[in-house]
Every structure is written in structure tokens, then in C-alpha cells.
Amino acid sequence: MVGKILAAGLIVLLLCACHPHPSPVSEKTSPAPLPPKQYASLPAQTGSEKSSPQEIPCSSEKPSASNPTSPAENQGNWSLEFPTGEESNDDFSLEVIPQERQKQGPDFDIPIVINAKVEQFIQYFQTTGRKVFANWLARSERYIPFMKSLLRENGLPEDLVYMALIESGFNPYAYSRSKASGPWQFIYLTGKKYGLRSNWWIDERRDPEKSTIAAAKYLKDLHDMFECWYLAAAGYNAGEKKIAAAMKRYGTEDFWELTKYRYLKRETKDYVPQMIAAALIAKEPEKYGFIGIEYQESLRYEKVKVPEVTDLRLIAKACEVDLDDIKGLNPELSRWCTPPNFPDYEIKIPSGKKELFLRNFEALSPGERFQFRTHSVKRGETPARIAKLYGVDLEPILELNRLSKKSRLSKGMDLLIPLPKDQDQKLMAMVKKESNGGNRHSKPKEMTYTIKKGDSLWSIANEMGVNVGALSSWNNLYPEKKLMPGDKLEIRLTKAHRALDDPHGKQPGKEILYVVKEGDTLWTIAKKFNLTVSEIKTWNHLNGTNRIHAEDRLKLKVGSTKSQL
């Protein structure tokens, strides 16, 4: 009898030893499913996983935290083209890699599960996406150390930093077709909800420090809701309402279980395995074949407070560094100066330069620190007309003087006009003379413009900074006339149209908005406007992987256009 019992026990022991078990790297697993009733109060989100910015009213006082980005669909031309295929993902494999195929790796503070889908993305990063991923790795060391520190200070796992790796490749200037911006790819409304300001002067979504703090707050809210980092990451991608609705529909809070169904889009199902794959490679790049990566130096800086509308060149001068060093540390600044209505704006300067800056900046005279002109409004003048008179953009005049485009100006009212520091005083004297009516008969400069496919009188007038009615009169055309490619137009440019020097470039001119046409390239646009490709890239925050498309809008700072023969 005893022998039979021992034999039965031995058989059971052998069967247990042969049965495979999931073997995640981390001991931490997703929490057990909660009863469906706990999600009954959460509204189900229908339709697309991410509401587009256009569908959400900007005046909403309590905007929902919609998805800031998605690595496959929303990150524009600079992103990797992940092998996502069609929307349905019913063949998603949950095969857990046997223990003998999982080697002991580095420690993680987020759950790490290696399954077939994770291995698929590891292989993709090693092959098709290798070049781009290697660039991401090289840039990662500049941001990972201080981003991890910020996540830790906000009570979050440090390894969530690898979400920024698949969101943007740690590119502060990353901008998606869904208008998500910065290293953490916030859309406007979600960024605003978490304290990131975005306007004509500044876009704090591009600030690596401020956006990381905002991402930490958002992820903490998501984790408080779902109590699982995989679901929190999926909610960051798809929006928390979409994930809550999926959990309610299928009665589970297991992310891997949710991936078996059609409700979530493939980009969301792939988001977590992409993050795991990226984290595994980033922590042990040599193990996965990424050898000889030239990592950028870690970002180190100090902060100093400066008055509002302080020219960045003066800050660079006071620090005794190049202007590009200041711009590189402050990617959130969209213009040539710090924003108005920020009397003590904290700007980042190179580490070790604080005392030198304070000493040199204090020695600057008030006239060197600021470059404004006070304009006394005359009868009939409008903000737009005044902006055109000085050859500057309308938006900063409205911002500084707290006006709107439809504001009515009173005679004798004083307006503050922001001017680039290098403005030519002779040209300013000419502007002043013209505003007083003393230079109305100055001889204009004439040029010839060759019409291209897609041009209209309005678009040409906008590009050249002239009145569409005047353009029609010069060429004996009526405004609605259809233009024929190859035809020539006469354009007359007065000195008032080219009154200002570009504050950051070498050429005099004004800023225009150029609508890209079919067949345009950066080189042809640069040639047309007497610019360089490098200048266009700088003004529009483009890098080597960016491509332009028809109907895109580019900011150009132009003086005159080359005649087209």
C-alpha cells in the first residue's frame, strides 16, 4: 500500500516538473482583475482611440486627458515605422518565452514580461529600425539621468523613462501630425491640464524638465485609476476612457488579455511590448548588438531669473557662450527672447556660468537689455497696419499690449513695439518718417514672380507681404482670376516691406508663412527666397529626417525673392 502511494506521488511530481510556467523577469505582476461593477461608473469611450485636437473644444474648462501621442501613427516623419499592419490584432501572441531563453538581466522597477511580441520588437529594433534606434540611444544619455531623477522625485518608477524613448526618441522638437509636441508628446489640451503652457512665445511641452514633471503627474493619475503600469502606459497612448471601456467590456484588467480582442487598436496593443523591448535594449545595448554608440553628454544646467522679453543673444553674451548653447538648453522658447508677462522668467544656462552671468548681465545698461519702440496711434490705424509699418509680426504686438486682432485703437494711444536688437536705425528713421506721411512717394523695388501650380493672388500676396488689391492692380488682374503656371507677375516692394533684420539670421526681411506646394523641396524653397536650407530647418525645428509635404506651412524670414525665369 505504501509503495502505491509513493509511486503515485512520484508520477505527480514528474508531471509538475514537465509543465511550463510563465517566467517574467520581474516578480511584480499585474493585479488581479477587479469585479466589472467597479468600472460601471466610468463612461465608455467609443470611436477612435484618440480624439483629435480639433474635436475637443478649446474653451472646455475641464478637458479630458486625451492621448498625447502614439509612436506609430502620430509622431510624423521622424518616427520609426513600426510593423503594425491592420487595425485588427487577433493574432497577437501571448506565448511566454521559456525560462531557459530568459537570461538574468538588469533590475527593473516596472514589470517586465518577455513574450513573442516583445521579441518581435527587439528584432525590429535590431534590423529595420536599427539606424534610427541607434540615434535614439545616442541622444538618450543626454536626458535619461535627470528624467529618472524627476520621476523618482515624483514617486514614480524610474524605468518609465523608456516611454519617452518610444514616444520621441528623446527629441524635444518632435512634433506629430496630431500636433503632439516634445519628448513626452503631449497634445495641447492634455499639456494644458498638467500645467504646460503653449502659445506664440513658448511651448513648455518641449521643455524636457517641465514636460517630464507633467508626464509623471499624468502617469500617476493613470496608475491610481488602473493600479497597473501596463494599463497606465496603454492609457497614456489611447486615453484612459478607452482603456476603462475595454476593461468594462471584457471584465478584465489584464493588459495582455485585452490584447486578444479587437476593441483596442493595434498601436495601443503594441505600445507596451515596444516599451519593454526598448527598455531591455537601452539597459544592455551591447547584448543586443548596439556597439560603439557615441552617447551625448548628460544635460547639465543652472537656472537664472531674467526680466520679460530678454533677448537670448544678451543672455549668451553675459554667459560668454554661443547663442546655440542657450537655445539648446531652452527648446521651449519659440522666439528670439523670453516671453512677455513673465517678469522673472527662469532660463537655463550652462552649468558653472551662473556667477559670470549675474556679473555681466548686471553691467548691461537698460538700453542694451531691451529693444522696444513706443508707437503713438494715429487716426484710422489698426494693429495689423502698425505691425506692417514696422515690418514685425502682429502676434507679439497684440501680446505685449493685451489686444486682440479686432481691438479698436484710440488716437494718441501708445503701443509697445518689440524690435530685434540688431534693427538698423536708418531703416527705423525711415519707418518713422513714413508713419508721419513724409516718405509716401519713395520708389518701390520691382521684381518678377513666376506663377507655380497651386498659386493664387492671395497666397502670393501673403508670401510677398503686399496687398492683394495692389497686386491685382499692378498686373491688371481681378482677384478671382485663375492664374496659369509659368505666367509672370510684377511685384513692387517698398522699404517698409523689408524694414527689419531677422533677429537670428544674416538677411534683412520679415517673417512669412509659406504654404508648401507639390514638388517643393527645402532646397528649391531656399533658392527661391535667397535663404539656406539650414536657416529654414532652424526656424521650423526640422531635423535631418523631416520631410515636407504639400499644404505644410513653413515660417520663412525673407527679404526679397529671386526672380524666376
Side-chain angles (χ1 to χ4, degrees):
M1 184 66 179
V2 175
K4 291 182 178 180
I5 294 174
L6 292 173
L10 181 60
I11 292 173
V12 171
L13 182 62
L14 290 173
L15 287 174
C16 291
C18 295
H19 186 69
H21 295 280
S23 181
V25 174
S26 171
E27 295 180 2
K28 183 176 179 180
T29 59
S30 300
L34 295 174
K37 64 180 180 180
Q38 297 201 27
Y39 297 97
S41 62
L42 290 173
Q45 182 175 345
T46 59
S48 174
E49 292 194 43
K50 179 175 66 177
S51 299
S52 67
Q54 293 83 355
E55 295 173 351
I56 304 175
C58 294
S59 60
S60 174
E61 295 181 1
K62 294 183 179 180
S64 63
S66 176
N67 168 38
T69 186
S70 66
E73 180 182 0
N74 299 326
Q75 299 204 36
N77 295 315
W78 53 266
S79 67
L80 284 174
E81 295 294 333
F82 291 116
T84 54
E86 59 192 37
E87 176 181 335
S88 174
N89 198 22
D90 297 327
D91 61 344
F92 190 99
S93 174
L94 289 180
E95 172 201 356
V96 178
I97 305 305
Q99 187 170 6
E100 59 269 17
R101 290 170 63 188
Q102 297 191 37
K103 299 180 180 180
Q104 186 65 34
D107 292 331
F108 286 88
D109 56 9
I110 58 174
I112 297 293
V113 174
I114 303 179
N115 56 31
K117 198 66 178 179
V118 172
E119 285 206 333
Q120 175 188 343
F121 281 108
I122 289 176
Q123 183 180 21
Y124 176 75
F125 290 139
Q126 290 174 314
T127 54
T128 306
R130 182 182 185 86
K131 183 176 180 180
V132 174
F133 196 82
N135 291 335
W136 291 0
L137 286 177
R139 189 162 50 229
S140 67
E141 193 59 27
R142 178 173 172 84
Y143 300 101
I144 282 180
F146 86 88
M147 282 186 174
K148 279 188 172 183
S149 177
L150 290 173
L151 291 171
R152 183 174 62 252
E153 290 172 7
N154 284 271
L156 270 70
E158 294 181 4
D159 290 329
L160 290 176
V161 73
Y162 298 110
M163 287 179 59
L165 182 62
I166 62 171
E167 287 285 352
S168 67
F170 293 109
N171 180 5
Y173 297 103
Y175 192 79
S176 77
R177 294 189 181 278
S178 297
K179 300 182 180 180
S181 179
W184 291 92
Q185 288 291 278
F186 277 97
I187 62 171
Y188 173 79
L189 287 178
T190 310
K192 181 179 179 181
K193 180 177 181 179
Y194 287 93
L196 299 178
R197 292 162 292 194
S198 181
N199 55 42
W200 196 84
W201 296 91
I202 189 172
D203 187 350
E204 291 183 328
R205 297 174 298 171
R206 296 200 304 246
D207 187 314
E209 178 181 324
K210 293 176 182 177
S211 65
T212 300
I213 295 173
K217 293 177 180 178
Y218 186 22
L219 286 167
K220 188 177 187 303
D221 287 347
L222 290 168
H223 188 263
D224 288 345
M225 177 181 291
F226 299 124
E227 299 182 349
C228 169
W229 286 118
Y230 287 172
L231 293 174
Y236 193 91
N237 175 262
E240 65 271 22
K241 289 185 179 180
K242 185 72 173 181
I243 302 303
M247 294 164 67
K248 179 181 177 182
R249 174 177 292 199
Y250 301 111
T252 180
E253 68 169 5
D254 185 336
F255 170 79
W256 303 107
E257 184 70 19
L258 292 177
T259 61
K260 297 178 181 178
Y261 304 101
R262 290 178 176 269
Y263 186 68
L264 297 179
K265 285 187 176 180
R266 180 177 284 257
E267 68 180 60
T268 302
K269 297 175 184 181
D270 286 350
Y271 191 80
V272 170
Q274 285 173 23
M275 178 183 69
I276 295 173
L280 288 167
I281 297 175
K283 283 208 172 187
E284 293 186 296
E286 293 83 5
K287 174 181 175 180
Y288 296 95
F290 288 88
I291 301 172
I293 300 294
E294 296 183 6
Y295 289 97
Q296 297 181 12
E297 292 185 7
S298 296
L299 191 62
R300 298 175 63 242
Y301 54 82
E302 296 177 288
K303 295 179 183 178
V304 293
K305 292 182 179 180
V306 296
E308 59 182 335
V309 197
T310 298
D311 195 316
L312 299 185
R313 287 166 300 173
L314 294 181
I315 296 173
K317 181 180 179 181
C319 291
E320 298 181 7
V321 298
D322 291 336
L323 175 61
D324 287 342
D325 294 333
I326 301 300
K327 288 182 178 179
L329 290 173
N330 299 275
E332 74 279 8
L333 297 178
S334 303
R335 305 299 162 191
W336 52 274
C337 60
T338 58
N341 303 320
F342 287 78
D344 290 315
Y345 186 81
E346 279 195 326
I347 194 163
K348 295 181 280 291
I349 62 175
S351 182
K353 295 287 186 177
K354 187 172 184 177
E355 290 186 9
L356 177 65
F357 168 82
L358 294 175
R359 185 169 62 251
N360 289 341
F361 194 75
E362 185 66 27
L364 295 175
S365 66
E368 289 181 285
R369 296 186 191 182
F370 307 100
Q371 186 75 5
F372 298 105
R373 176 171 292 272
T374 300
H375 177 84
S376 183
V377 177
K378 297 173 179 58
R379 188 188 304 277
E381 285 188 323
T382 63
R385 181 176 176 182
I386 294 170
K388 188 174 182 180
L389 175 66
Y390 286 91
V392 298
D393 292 290
L394 174 61
E395 287 84 354
I397 295 178
L398 299 178
E399 180 79 20
L400 282 173
N401 296 279
R402 310 238 176 155
L403 300 172
S404 71
K405 292 183 179 179
K406 297 182 180 180
S407 294
R408 291 186 178 182
L409 305 181
S410 302
K411 181 181 178 181
M413 179 180 180
D414 288 335
L415 296 182
L416 195 61
I417 311 297
L419 304 176
K421 189 70 177 66
D422 291 341
Q423 178 151 4
D424 189 290
Q425 295 302 315
K426 292 182 179 180
L427 290 177
M428 278 312 303
M430 180 275 297
V431 170
K432 182 177 180 180
K433 184 177 180 180
E434 181 170 312
S435 68
N436 292 326
N439 197 31
R440 295 179 181 175
H441 304 291
S442 59
K443 185 177 180 181
K445 176 182 178 181
E446 295 185 3
M447 60 165 293
T448 301
Y449 179 88
T450 302
I451 299 171
K452 301 185 299 300
K453 183 178 180 181
D455 274 342
S456 66
L457 284 177
W458 182 89
S459 66
I460 296 171
N462 183 58
E463 288 178 21
M464 305 311 300
V466 297
N467 182 276
V468 67
L471 182 61
S472 303
S473 175
W474 297 333
N475 295 276
N476 297 318
L477 301 173
Y478 54 89
E480 294 78 17
K481 178 176 175 58
K482 184 176 180 180
L483 304 181
M484 301 301 295
D487 286 352
K488 312 287 185 181
L489 290 182
E490 175 189 344
I491 297 177
R492 302 173 185 175
L493 298 177
T494 65
K495 290 184 179 180
H497 289 138
R498 27 184 216 284
L500 287 180
D501 283 343
D502 173 10
H504 294 146
K506 298 178 180 179
Q507 294 193 15
K510 63 172 292 183
E511 184 174 288
I512 66 170
L513 195 63
Y514 178 78
V515 180
V516 177
K517 301 174 181 62
E518 198 70 34
D520 273 348
T521 66
L522 290 177
W523 185 85
T524 59
I525 296 172
K527 183 179 179 182
K528 172 183 174 183
F529 288 99
N530 288 315
L531 303 173
T532 67
V533 171
S534 176
E535 287 174 327
I536 297 177
K537 286 184 175 182
T538 299
W539 296 330
N540 294 276
H541 307 305
L542 302 176
N543 56 40
T545 59
N546 285 120
R547 296 181 181 178
I548 58 173
H549 304 275
E551 305 305 319
D552 283 350
R553 286 170 165 75
L554 297 177
K555 289 181 294 186
L556 303 179
K557 300 172 182 178
V558 303
S560 60
T561 306
K562 290 183 178 179
S563 299
Q564 305 294 309
L565 300 177

